[in-house]
Amino acid sequence: MQPLLMILAAQLLIASGNLLVKLLENDAPVFQLVLYRQLFATLLVLPFVWRLQGNLKLSPYYKVHLARALLIGLGNAIFMLAILHLPLATVTAVIYTSPLLLLVLSALFLHERIGYRRSVAGIIGFIGILLISQPTEFNLYIGLAFFGAMTSALNSLILKAYSTQEHPFSMLFWSNAFAMIFLIPATLYEGADFSLPVAQVGLTLGLFYIGMTYLIIHAYRRADASQMAPVEYTGLIFAALFGWWILDEELSLVMLIGIGLVIFSSILPSYSELKAKWKSRRS
């Protein structure tokens, strides 16, 4: 039960952070926001990395971290821009295409087998996302959100390939630290004046980011990924409820059906394993 509550808390932090971004002005400087987020997150993680290593040695996988840093900086800025211009449930649903894209990328580059059940789950999840976003015509910001999902999937692919090579805190620190290389010039090019509300939201997002990462790492150390999958998609429920309750966004029956399909698609690949574990606990 404890790992499930950890994932639930992590999803609540993510949805709350997205809500804070949504409450900013539509023309809020996104690169400045992401810079504050990554800078605060880097400073918060620094003591843990220092204690872990005894000093601050450059990671031998710095090229990998540079690639991840570019994806983090660009992907987060695009995602923040989409949040500012789309309903919370819509942008969250589009971002949840990231696990589906990761399935395809893992099959192409890591030669992982997708299988029948995962393929069906991917199709069901995609239908659910279409029901939530209901794209009647091309929308630039839905396109940006999808591009953000792609950068997230590529980031996860790199993390998946190198996760056993380095401590999670070290990977977290160096990827965020290297992101400054791209974010500082991008913020200067953006040319926006200093904004206290943006800095405050950036600091809060940094705190949420570290908290979310800590909860997810420890949850996956205590339970199998298959058990966590259904709870990971509760962020979509939180986003829909926050949008309806706080932002007065629409929450239609079609959207609720779409949310149900997305959650079902996350359970389907692990259904047999979850069923077997449930039976073993009852016996």
Side-chain angles (χ1 to χ4, degrees), residues 58-174:
L58 180 65
S59 169
Y61 302 100
Y62 67 90
K63 291 181 180 178
V64 174
H65 295 310
L66 276 169
R68 288 193 68 227
L70 178 60
L71 292 171
I72 287 170
L74 184 62
N76 277 298
I78 288 171
F79 180 50
M80 301 296 182
L81 193 61
I83 289 176
L84 291 170
H85 292 87
L86 290 173
L88 265 185
T90 299
V91 71
T92 305
V94 176
I95 284 296
Y96 276 150
T97 60
S98 179
L100 307 179
L101 294 170
L102 181 60
L103 279 179
V104 177
L105 293 173
S106 296
L108 290 174
F109 296 104
L110 301 181
H111 308 293
E112 292 185 359
R113 185 173 173 272
I114 296 179
Y116 168 76
R117 199 184 291 270
R118 283 188 175 186
S119 300
V120 172
I123 294 169
I124 292 172
F126 187 71
I127 292 170
I129 288 163
L130 288 177
L131 290 177
I132 296 166
S133 57
Q134 300 177 40
T136 54
E137 58 184 20
F138 177 75
N139 184 305
L140 172 64
Y141 297 106
I142 288 181
L144 289 175
F146 184 77
F147 186 78
M150 176 60 80
T151 63
S152 177
L154 287 170
N155 203 345
S156 297
L157 182 71
I158 296 171
L159 194 61
K160 204 172 185 181
Y162 288 89
S163 60
T164 58
Q165 307 297 319
E166 199 169 13
H167 193 279
F169 273 131
S170 182
M171 295 192 76
L172 185 65
F173 173 79
W174 287 110

Side-chain angles (χ1 to χ4, degrees), residues 4-20 96 205 208 211-212 215-216 231-239 241-242 245-246:
L4 292 174
L5 290 175
M6 285 181 171
I7 294 293
L8 192 67
Q11 294 301 319
L12 182 58
L13 286 177
I14 293 169
S16 300
N18 292 343
L19 175 63
L20 290 177
Y96 276 150
L205 292 179
F208 284 2
M212 173 267 296
L215 289 167
I216 289 174
V231 191
E232 283 186 340
Y233 281 80
T234 53
L236 187 51
I237 298 174
F238 289 136
L241 290 175
F242 284 168
W245 181 35
I246 299 172

Side-chain angles (χ1 to χ4, degrees), residues 216-272:
I216 289 174
I217 288 172
H218 282 271
Y220 278 106
R221 283 180 176 176
R222 300 182 188 192
D224 295 337
S226 60
Q227 294 176 281
M228 300 295 103
V231 191
E232 283 186 340
Y233 281 80
T234 53
L236 187 51
I237 298 174
F238 289 136
L241 290 175
F242 284 168
W244 170 70
W245 181 35
I246 299 172
L247 303 172
D248 201 27
E249 294 176 351
E250 182 186 4
L251 186 58
S252 64
L253 178 62
V254 173
M255 291 177 70
L256 290 173
I257 292 170
I259 290 170
L261 287 176
V262 170
I263 294 172
F264 176 71
S265 74
S266 74
I267 299 172
L268 184 60
S270 310
Y271 174 74
S272 298

